[in-house]
């Protein structure tokens, strides 16, 4: 692994609906003890091959009754998670997803 920053991990338990090709509503559990999953995080399949060009999804909403909406999904919690992105065909039942802050790897370390 190239980065030493902790990543959040989501395990998709149920895919509720796909209201459009760019949005998926699923029930997922945070399974990483190193880092929770945050609103706005970018997510990709854990098993995506190195160098693969898979556009990331973005966490746009997390909610759970009776707690309502929240901005962090801590370890072992599960919730309804809404993802948005250009192609979400890879979000399937039992998928394992890694979640990272959206700015990771973009425009960082570039000299100006």
């Amino acid at each position: 692994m190239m980065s030493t920053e902790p990543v959040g991990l989501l395990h998709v338990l149920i895919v509720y609906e796909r209201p459009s090709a760019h949005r998926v509503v699923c029930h997922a559990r945070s399974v990483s003890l190193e880092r929770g999953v945050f609103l706005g995080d970018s997510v990709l399949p854990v098993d995506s091959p190195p160098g693969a060009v898979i556009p990331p999804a973005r966490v746009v909403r997390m909610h759970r009754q009776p707690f309502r909406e929240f901005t962090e999904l801590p370890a072992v919690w599960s919730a309804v998670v809404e993802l948005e992105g250009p192609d979400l065909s890879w979000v399937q039942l039992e998928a394992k997803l890694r979640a990272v802050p959206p700015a990771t790897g973009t425009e960082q370390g570039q000299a100006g």
Side-chain angles (χ1 to χ4, degrees):
M1 198 172 225
M2 293 174 67
S3 174
T4 58
E5 289 184 39
V7 297
L9 296 173
L10 282 174
H11 178 203
V12 177
L13 304 171
I14 301 168
V15 176
Y16 290 121
E17 63 178 323
R18 294 179 183 274
S20 75
H22 308 291
R23 194 173 189 94
V24 173
V25 180
C26 61
H27 195 93
R29 178 177 306 282
S30 176
V31 294
S32 175
L33 296 177
E34 296 178 352
R35 178 186 184 276
V37 176
F38 294 87
L39 197 60
D41 275 356
S42 294
V43 294
L44 284 167
V46 167
D47 59 355
S48 58
V53 182
I54 299 173
R58 187 171 61 90
V59 177
V60 294
R61 186 174 181 221
M62 295 184 291
H63 54 98
R64 180 175 133 171
Q65 295 298 328
F67 303 107
R68 303 188 188 198
E69 294 191 30
F70 42 90
T71 58
E72 178 186 5
L73 185 63
V76 306
W77 273 52
S78 65
V80 175
V81 177
E82 295 184 27
L83 303 173
E84 203 171 71
D87 175 16
L88 300 177
S89 60
W90 47 267
V91 179
Q92 303 288 330
L93 181 66
E94 297 297 325
K96 304 280 192 300
L97 311 176
R98 60 185 155 93
V100 295
T104 298
T106 59
E107 299 178 11
Q108 290 182 348
Q110 295 181 1

